[in-house]
C-alpha cells in the first residue's frame, strides 16, 4: 500500500449512533454501516472516519471511553467490527477511527483503581491535586472535581466524567501503545486523534490568565512544552505498526501556524484547521482569505484539511448554505477541488438540516446541557436558556441520517426525529458524486494552484488544465478568459462564458 494513499482520498465522517440502525433500537450501529457501504461506494468516498464505538457510558457520546478494547454493545460486537473492516477493504474503502487518549471515562477500570487510594498503583495515571487552580474545563466550569474518598481533586479538561490521563507517566504511554497496536492489528487504516494538543499540562499548575473580554486564556493546559515529544512517540508507534497508517490530529487552536506545527515529518499527516470550515457566512472574501492563509502556511506536499461540517459543528446546509441548494453546490465544489484533504460530514451530500431541540429533555449534548444549567442558575427562564444553549448545542448536526422518510422509525431514535427532515435532495447527491468522480481522475487534486485569486464576489483558481470559478454574487457575469469547454457547472447556462449568480463552474483551459 502506498504510504500516501490518503492524498487522493475523499473522507467521509460517520457519527456512528446516527448513521444507520440495523436492529431497530433507534441507535446507529456497525452492522448498519456495513449495510450502507455500497451507498458510500456509489457516492465515491474511499475513506471513512468512524467516531468512537468503544465501551462507554456516553456522557460525551463515546468520547468518554470505559474500555479501549471492547465494542460498546449498542454498536455491535467485535465480529461486526471485523466484518465492517473486511467489507470496506473489499470495496477499496479505508477506515480510520477516533483515538481518544487525552482522557478516559471515570468508569474506566484505570480510574476506578486510581480513585481508591493515594497509594494505588494507578493513582498517578491521572492528575490529582490537594487544591484546584483556576483552570476551566472546555465544557465550562472548573476543570477540577473533588473526590471525597481520598480528599483530593482530579483534573478533567472536559466533562467531570472524563478524567485526564497523566501523560508524564510512562505507564500511561505504554498502555495507550497497546491500544494503538490492537486496533491496527484489527485492520484500522489510521486514527483521528481527539483534542490531541491537550495531552500534556504544565506541572507547575500556574493559574491561567484572562483576556480583555474576561475569557480564560488556556496558556498552561494546552500546547505545553513536552507535547511534541509525546506526540512523536505516539506517531512513531503507529507508523512502526503500519507505515501506511494515516493520522489526522484535532488541534484546538485558531492559529494556523500552531495547527500547522503539528502536521509534519514525524508528526501527523494532516491536522484539522477549523478556520475555513467554521466561517460564519458563505462570502467570497472570507473564503478567499482562508484559502490564501492556508496556501501561505501549507507548502506543497503538505496538505491542509477541507471541511464545512462535523459532529461538533452545525450542519453546513443550514448554517452556511442558508437552505439554498445553489449555495450548497458551490460549497461542495470548493471543498472537493481546493488544495487539501476533504472530509464530508455524513448527510451533507443529501442536504440534511440542523436538528434543534424544542425542550431540555430533547437535548443530549453534555456541552449544551451544562450551558443550559448555568443559564438557569444565572436566572434566565427556561425558554431563553434553551435558546441560548442551542447556540452551542452540538446535537444540531447529530440527527440521524435521513435515508428516507421512513428511516429510524422502528424504535426510538436516540436523538430527535429524522422524519422532520425534508426529503433528501437527489440533485445535491448527484453533484457530490460527479465532483468526486471528476476529482478521482486526478486532473485537479495533484496540481498546485495557479492564479488563486479574488475580485469582488468571485474566487477563481487554476489547477492543471482546469479553471475553477466561484461566483458568490447575485449577478451573472461574462468570463473574460480563453476557455476550451465547460466541464461541470452547478447551474444552467445560456453560453459557455456566462457565469450565472451563485454558481460554480469547472472549465477546461490551456495549461
Ligand atoms: Ca441499532
Ligand atoms: Ca490533558
Amino acid at each position: 500500500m502506498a504510504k500516501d494513499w490518503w492524498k487522493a482520498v475523499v473522507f467521509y465522517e460517520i457519527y456512528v449512533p446516527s448513521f444507520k440502525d440495523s436492529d431497530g433500537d433507534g441507535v446507529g450501529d456497525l452492522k448498519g454501516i456495513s449495510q450502507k457501504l455500497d451507498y458510500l461506494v456509489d457516492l465515491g468516498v474511499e475513506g471513512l472516519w468512524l467516531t468512537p464505538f468503544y465501551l462507554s457510558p456516553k456522557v460525551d457520546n463515546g468520547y468518554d471511553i470505559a474500555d479501549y478494547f471492547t465494542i460498546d454493545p449498542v454498536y455491535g460486537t467485535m465480529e461486526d467490527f471485523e466484518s465492517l473492516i473486511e467489507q470496506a477493504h473489499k470495496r477499496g474503502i479505508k477506515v480510520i477511527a477516533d483515538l481518544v487518549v487525552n482522557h478516559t471515562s471515570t468508569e474506566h477500570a484505570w480510574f476506578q483503581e486510581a480513585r481508591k487510594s493515594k497509594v494505588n498503583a494507578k493513582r498517578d495515571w491521572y492528575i490529582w491535586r490537594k487544591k484546584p487552580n483556576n483552570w476551566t474545563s472546555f465544557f465550562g466550569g472548573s476543570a477540577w472535581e473533588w473526590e471525597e474518598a481520598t480528599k483530593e481533586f482530579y483534573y478533567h479538561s472536559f466533562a467531570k466524567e472524563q478524567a485526564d490521563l497523566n501523560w508524564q507517566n510512562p505507564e500511561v504511554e505504554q498502555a495507550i501503545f497497546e491500544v494503538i497496536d490492537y486496533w491496527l492489528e484489527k485492520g484500522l487504516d489510521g486514527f483521528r486523534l481527539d483534542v490531541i494538543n491537550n495531552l500534556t499540562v504544565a506541572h507547575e499548575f500556574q493559574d491561567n490568565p484572562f483576556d480583555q473580554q474576561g475569557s480564560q486564556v488556556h496558556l498552561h493546559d494546552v500546547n505545553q512544552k513536552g507535547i511534541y515529544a509525546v506526540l512523536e512517540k505516539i506517531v512513531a508507534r503507529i507508523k512502526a505498526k503500519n507505515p501506511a497508517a494515516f493520522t489526522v490530529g484535532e488541534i484546538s487552536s485558531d492559529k494556523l501556524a500552531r495547527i500547522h506545527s503539528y502536521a509534519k515529518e514525524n508528526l501527523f499527516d494532516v491536522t484539522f484547521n477549523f478556520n475555513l470550515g467554521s466561517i460564519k457566512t458563505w462570502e467570497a472574501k472570507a473564503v478567499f482569505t482562508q484559502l490564501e492563509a492556508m496556501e501561505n502556511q501549507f507548502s506543497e506536499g503538505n496538505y491542509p484539511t477541507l471541511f464545512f461540517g462535523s459532529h461538533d459543528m452545525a450542519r453546513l446546509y443550514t448554517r452556511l448554505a442558508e437552505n439554498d441548494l445553489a449555495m450548497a453546490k458551490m460549497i461542495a465544489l470548493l471543498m472537493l477541488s481546493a488544495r487539501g484533504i476533504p472530509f464530508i460530514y455524513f448527510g451533507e451530500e443529501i442536504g440534511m438540516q440542523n436538528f434543534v431541540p424544542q425542550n431540555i429533555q430533547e437535548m443530549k449534548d453534555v456541552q449544551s446541557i451544562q450551558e443550559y444549567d448555568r443559564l438557569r442558575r444565572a436566572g434566565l427562564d427556561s425558554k431563553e436558556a434553551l435558546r441560548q444553549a442551542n447556540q452551542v448545542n452540538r446535537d444540531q448536526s447529530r440527527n440521524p441520517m435521513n435515508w428516507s422518510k421512513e428511516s429510524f422509525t422502528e424504535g426510538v431514535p436516540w436523538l430527535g426525529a429524522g422524519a422532520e427532515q425534508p426529503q433528501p435532495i437527489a440533485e445535491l447527491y448527484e453533484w457530490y458524486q460527479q465532483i468526486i468522480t471528476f476529482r478521482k481522475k486526478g486532473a485537479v487534486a495533484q496540481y498546485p494552484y495557479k492564479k488563486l485569486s479574488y475580485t469582488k464576489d468571485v474566487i477563481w483558481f487554476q489547477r492543471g488544465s482546469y479553471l475553477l470559478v466561484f461566483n458568490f454574487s447575485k449577478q451573472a457575469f461574462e468570463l473574460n478568459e480563453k476557455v476550451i469547454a465547460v466541464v461541470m457547472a452547478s447551474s444552467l447556462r445560456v453560453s459557455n462564458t456566462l457565469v450565472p449568480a451563485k454558481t460554480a463552474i469547472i472549465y477546461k483551459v490551456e495549461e
Side-chain angles (χ1 to χ4, degrees):
M1 199 189 335
K3 268 192 196 172
D4 56 355
W5 57 269
W6 49 269
K7 287 182 184 169
V9 165
V10 174
F11 285 89
Y12 185 94
E13 180 190 353
I14 289 182
Y15 195 68
V16 175
S18 305
F19 190 61
K20 174 67 182 157
D21 177 20
S22 72
D23 57 3
D25 68 352
V27 186
D29 44 56
L30 298 174
K31 253 191 194 150
I33 299 170
S34 289
Q35 289 170 1
K36 288 296 177 184
L37 285 171
D38 288 332
Y39 168 87
L40 298 164
V41 170
D42 187 61
L43 179 61
V45 300
E46 292 175 310
L48 298 184
W49 156 26
L50 307 181
T51 58
F53 43 76
Y54 319 99
L55 187 71
S56 166
K58 299 182 204 67
V59 169
D60 189 17
N61 258 319
Y63 284 90
D64 47 327
I65 296 173
D67 183 347
Y68 287 100
F69 302 103
T70 305
I71 306 278
D72 194 289
V74 80
Y75 300 134
T77 62
M78 192 58 81
E79 287 69 41
D80 296 340
F81 177 81
E82 287 165 356
S83 165
L84 169 58
I85 294 285
E86 192 192 329
Q87 295 297 317
H89 285 173
K90 213 178 266 177
R91 291 165 174 78
I93 295 177
K94 302 275 198 299
V95 184
I96 68 167
D98 263 288
L99 186 66
V100 187
V101 295
N102 174 66
H103 47 259
T104 70
S105 163
T106 48
E107 290 188 17
H108 195 293
W110 301 341
F111 189 81
Q112 290 298 319
E113 278 297 306
R115 80 187 337 173
K116 280 183 186 164
S117 84
K118 285 181 188 163
V119 294
N120 188 281
K122 296 275 191 296
R123 182 71 171 184
D124 188 48
W125 285 38
Y126 294 87
I127 299 166
W128 301 89
R129 294 264 293 165
K130 288 190 181 62
K131 275 197 195 130
N133 60 12
N134 78 344
W135 295 355
T136 53
S137 144
F138 288 86
F139 287 163
S142 172
W144 297 93
E145 183 72 10
W146 175 249
E147 277 275 293
E148 185 57 34
T150 53
K151 305 233 180 303
E152 280 191 332
F153 294 85
Y154 67 86
Y155 175 64
H156 60 91
S157 47
F158 294 90
K160 67 179 193 312
E161 295 86 355
Q162 296 166 297
D164 276 47
L165 285 163
N166 176 15
W167 276 87
Q168 290 214 323
N169 186 335
E171 289 175 11
V172 167
E173 193 176 281
Q174 280 308 316
I176 296 302
F177 282 176
E178 283 170 31
V179 174
I180 289 168
D181 290 355
Y182 182 83
W183 289 105
L184 291 176
E185 275 164 27
K186 287 279 175 200
L188 271 188
D189 299 292
F191 296 107
R192 177 262 189 192
L193 295 103
D194 186 55
V195 296
I196 204 69
N197 57 330
N198 285 41
L199 236 54
T200 54
V201 294
H203 277 251
E204 295 79 24
F205 295 101
Q206 311 93 312
D207 276 351
N208 278 330
F210 293 88
D211 65 16
Q212 285 176 338
Q213 284 78 46
S215 303
Q216 185 162 119
V217 179
H218 289 278
L219 190 64
H220 302 298
D221 48 354
V222 294
N223 301 309
Q224 292 307 297
K225 263 188 228 135
I227 187 71
Y228 294 98
V230 169
L231 298 185
E232 277 179 15
K233 281 199 253 177
I234 291 176
V235 171
R237 184 68 172 214
I238 294 171
K239 302 280 178 177
K241 197 80 193 166
N242 177 1
F246 171 59
T247 56
V248 48
E250 185 200 21
I251 309 299
S252 49
S253 172
D254 57 3
K255 307 258 178 324
L256 260 189
R258 169 84 71 191
I259 294 164
H260 180 249
S261 73
Y262 289 95
K264 59 179 178 211
E265 189 76 36
N266 301 329
L267 276 170
F268 305 122
D269 293 313
V270 297
T271 45
F272 282 139
N273 42 285
F274 287 88
N275 298 15
L276 174 67
S278 59
I279 52 167
K280 298 275 188 292
T281 54
W282 185 244
E283 190 255 311
K285 182 143 193 246
V287 172
F288 178 75
T289 303
Q290 292 303 330
L291 287 180
E292 199 181 36
M294 282 154 59
E295 203 45 25
N296 291 339
Q297 195 68 68
F298 293 79
S299 58
E300 229 178 296
N302 201 305
Y303 292 79
T305 46
L306 300 159
F307 58 93
F308 293 98
S310 80
H311 66 284
D312 287 335
M313 298 154 80
R315 281 200 174 271
L316 177 168
Y317 201 81
T318 311
R319 190 189 94 242
L320 211 51
E322 298 166 21
N323 297 328
D324 180 339
L325 177 59
M327 277 162 77
K329 288 173 86 172
M330 278 179 79
I331 296 168
L333 184 59
L334 189 106
M335 179 174 80
L336 292 160
S337 65
R339 206 174 75 79
I341 310 300
F343 285 79
I344 295 170
Y345 182 61
F346 86 92
E348 77 185 34
E349 74 278 15
I350 54 169
M352 282 189 67
Q353 300 181 10
N354 277 352
F355 164 73
V356 183
Q358 300 303 307
N359 56 61
I360 185 63
Q361 287 74 30
E362 280 188 343
M363 199 180 272
K364 297 285 172 13
D365 177 20
V366 59
Q367 175 171 284
S368 52
I369 292 170
Q370 281 186 202
E371 178 64 2
Y372 177 86
D373 291 342
R374 191 188 69 77
L375 293 165
R376 290 289 281 152
R377 283 195 305 272
L380 270 66
D381 66 35
S382 57
K383 200 173 154 213
E384 182 57 19
L386 184 72
R387 193 189 66 78
Q388 289 190 30
N390 268 331
Q391 291 174 1
V392 295
N393 184 3
R394 297 174 300 170
D395 292 334
Q396 290 180 99
S397 62
R398 295 175 177 181
N399 41 358
M401 177 75 172
N402 190 17
W403 291 111
S404 74
K405 281 282 186 204
E406 290 73 43
S407 70
F408 276 86
T409 49
E410 290 173 53
V412 179
W414 77 274
L415 175 71
E420 282 174 12
Q421 288 279 324
Q423 286 284 6
I425 304 171
E427 186 183 336
L428 187 58
Y429 176 85
E430 283 156 19
W431 177 243
Y432 270 81
Q433 211 179 22
Q434 272 181 56
I435 304 167
I436 296 171
T437 304
F438 173 75
R439 194 181 192 277
K440 274 192 193 160
K441 290 181 188 148
V444 169
Q446 67 190 47
Y447 292 95
Y449 291 131
K450 250 198 269 177
K451 309 190 249 189
L452 171 64
S453 57
Y454 157 81
T455 50
K456 198 177 180 307
D457 287 339
V458 181
I459 292 176
W460 54 66
F461 51 79
Q462 189 178 334
R463 304 186 72 185
S465 57
Y466 294 95
L467 175 69
L468 290 99
V469 181
F470 301 84
N471 181 9
F472 286 65
S473 79
K474 293 192 174 73
Q475 264 110 46
F477 74 96
E478 208 44 61
L479 187 73
N480 195 12
E481 299 268 334
K482 214 168 145 237
V483 300
I484 298 167
V486 170
V487 180
M488 284 166 61
S490 66
S491 70
L492 295 171
R493 286 148 297 106
V494 288
S495 82
N496 272 358
T497 51
L498 182 82
V499 184
K502 291 197 279 188
T503 294
I505 303 182
I506 305 177
Y507 289 101
K508 177 93 177 144
V509 292
E510 298 284 350
E511 202 170 334

